[in-house]
Amino acid sequence: AAAPMAVPGPRKGAFGLRAGLGGATAGIGAPTIGFTFLATDSVGISFDLGGGFKDRGDMGFGFGLGIDVRLGSATKPIRPLFIIGGGFGKTISTRGDDMLLDFNIGGGAEYWFSDHFSFSGKALVDLPIDLRSGRLSVVTLTPGIGGTFYF
């Protein structure tokens, strides 16, 4: 009998809808929805929208853009991730100057249950910049989880 094949992940050109919790989107961490486009078998371009609560309980929103690099073979069901991204966030208020610019870098892993569905976990180092004060913060190991459905 032939050996069973590993569950492959999606390939170049795949488009996925994603949802997640955590993982820093412009300083506003959860929940997020977005999409991923695989430019190659290993490199994905991601866009996320998020909403949630910030420092002092203020509600806000954010959006982020990132590059996710999947290491290892696309034929393996679990692959390590390297992530770099940035975003913009704003607290919902009448003030026009309570905005954040955000950069993050980190890693994690993505597991494909099938070639259409994956689950991922990540930990990021986040560098939010408060645009009003110019203050730069470092938020270490911001965790996140999510799922993606690929077409």
Side-chain angles (χ1 to χ4, degrees), residues 115-137:
D115 59 348
H116 293 288
F117 182 73
S118 73
F119 179 79
S120 62
K122 59 187 174 180
L124 304 174
V125 174
D126 191 35
L127 301 168
I129 302 168
D130 184 322
L131 295 178
R132 178 179 46 192
S133 68
R135 184 186 73 187
L136 172 68
S137 305

Side-chain angles (χ1 to χ4, degrees), residues 16-67:
L17 296 176
R18 50 194 264 157
L21 293 172
T25 300
I28 301 166
T32 61
I33 58 170
F35 67 83
T36 296
F37 173 74
L38 291 180
T40 71
D41 285 353
S42 299
V43 178
I45 300 166
S46 300
F47 177 79
D48 291 306
L49 294 171
F53 293 95
K54 219 173 132 302
D55 316 347
R56 301 172 310 271
D58 298 331
M59 186 166 208
F61 67 92
F63 64 87
L65 184 64
I67 296 175

Side-chain angles (χ1 to χ4, degrees), residues 85-120:
F88 173 81
K90 168 121 178 47
T91 302
I92 297 173
S93 73
T94 56
R95 295 190 339 239
D97 63 350
D98 55 350
M99 297 173 276
L100 290 171
L101 190 58
D102 181 72
F103 300 98
N104 51 57
I105 189 168
E110 187 167 17
Y111 178 80
W112 279 274
F113 293 95
S114 72
D115 59 348
H116 293 288
F117 182 73
S118 73
F119 179 79
S120 62

